[in-house]
Amino acid sequence: AQTVTQSQPEMSVQEAETVTLSCTYDTSESDYYLFWYKQPPSRQMILVIRQEAYKQQNATENRFSVNFQKAAKSFSLKISDSQLGDAAMYFCAYFDGGATNKLIFGTGTLLAVQP
Amino acid sequence: DTGVSQDPRHKITKRGQNVTFRCDPISEHNRLYWYRQTLGQGPEFLTYFQNEAQLEKSRLLSDRFSAERPKGSFSTLEIQRTEQGDSAMYLCASRGPGDQPQHFGDGTRLSIL
């Protein structure tokens, strides 16, 4: 069964600095998707960035980028120029788009941004 | 595009009562998902609909839980004879055709007294 592991329950970063959130996963599939979702307190879960496993190029969305290491089954999120609005719970999620049709989430990393 | 809408936002009920939640997906999204999220955890999959057909159910979905999606539009999730362990945030997500990602609603927070 596929699993997603986030080993950092909490992280803190100074405003304008860079922070990296870690995620590892386990799967026997070769074709799948990986996502980072952001969940602010009492607010909606929002898609931050996604990566298709067949693409070697790391995805980038403005200040957010990923380091996707397929062989190592690692998918970290880098947030550059951190802003106060980045404070939230961040979830890494796996989706194989075929057999299961469901997202498998990690336990999340709570990111605090210090002014 | 008004996003995924869930109602109510918060439900407080006594143990043993039945509750029903509603989810309105993004228009024209034919795929709909329910997840449950407990405090400090990531969401866990409950069930999946493609149009009106319920194609997958998690073992988490005990016989006290039932979900429907009549006419392939909105969906309801009913919990009968609620228990303390049912207290959680229930999230709905919808997804369009192809490899589009899932879009989540605000969730319904269930509190069992």
Side-chain angles (χ1 to χ4, degrees):
Chain A
Q2 295 90 352
T3 58
V4 176
T5 302
Q6 294 180 250
S7 58
Q8 305 156 316
E10 297 181 12
M11 292 282 284
S12 182
V13 64
Q14 291 290 129
E15 199 174 4
E17 296 295 307
T18 295
V19 64
T20 298
L21 308 184
S22 300
C23 173
T24 58
Y25 60 94
D26 190 24
T27 183
S28 58
E29 302 291 331
S30 59
D31 192 17
Y32 49 87
Y33 299 84
L34 295 164
F35 302 87
W36 279 97
Y37 279 89
K38 169 186 177 182
Q39 188 177 42
S42 301
R43 292 185 63 188
Q44 189 178 65
M45 183 131 15
I46 302 166
L47 177 65
V48 174
I49 198 167
R50 80 174 196 175
Q51 175 81 42
E52 290 89 341
Y54 67 86
K55 290 185 178 179
Q56 293 187 333
Q57 186 174 7
N58 289 324
T60 300
E61 288 287 342
N62 301 314
R63 298 182 295 105
F64 299 87
S65 62
V66 299
N67 184 3
F68 173 49
Q69 302 289 327
K70 190 173 184 179
K73 297 180 181 175
S74 170
F75 182 60
S76 60
L77 174 70
K78 186 172 80 171
I79 306 174
S80 304
D81 185 25
S82 297
Q83 301 175 359
L84 295 177
D86 294 334
M89 182 71 87
Y90 286 81
F91 291 100
C92 177
Y94 166 97
F95 181 72
D96 68 16
T100 62
N101 274 302
K102 63 187 177 188
L103 284 168
I104 298 170
F105 287 87
T107 51
T109 296
L110 182 61
L111 178 66
V113 181
Q114 307 299 330
Chain B
D1 182 355
T2 58
V4 178
S5 177
Q6 291 189 245
D7 183 70
R9 290 291 305 275
H10 196 175
K11 178 70 176 178
I12 303 173
T13 192
K14 293 181 179 180
R15 187 179 58 185
Q17 297 295 304
N18 299 343
V19 294
T20 300
F21 312 140
R22 177 180 170 121
C23 172
D24 287 89
I26 293 172
S27 179
E28 297 180 355
H29 277 194
N30 63 333
R31 293 174 284 189
L32 187 146
Y33 304 77
W34 284 98
Y35 293 84
R36 182 171 70 185
Q37 184 179 20
T38 53
L39 199 61
Q41 299 295 318
E44 294 176 291
F45 170 78
L46 291 179
T47 190
Y48 161 64
F49 288 86
Q50 184 167 311
N51 300 312
E52 67 277 7
Q54 187 175 20
L55 298 185
E56 189 170 347
K57 292 194 294 185
S58 164
R59 59 181 171 77
L60 294 175
L61 213 65
S62 74
D63 57 4
R64 296 185 298 107
F65 288 70
S66 62
E68 295 181 343
R69 194 184 181 197
K71 303 178 183 178
S73 56
F74 71 91
S75 176
T76 58
L77 177 68
E78 181 184 14
I79 309 175
Q80 296 182 328
R81 305 180 304 280
T82 52
E83 302 174 353
Q84 287 287 345
D86 297 332
S87 294
M89 175 76 84
Y90 290 84
L91 296 169
C92 177
S94 71
R95 182 167 166 244
D99 65 352
Q100 293 185 35
Q102 295 180 29
H103 296 266
F104 284 82
D106 288 337
T108 294
R109 182 169 295 284
L110 175 63
S111 300
I112 307 297
L113 300 178

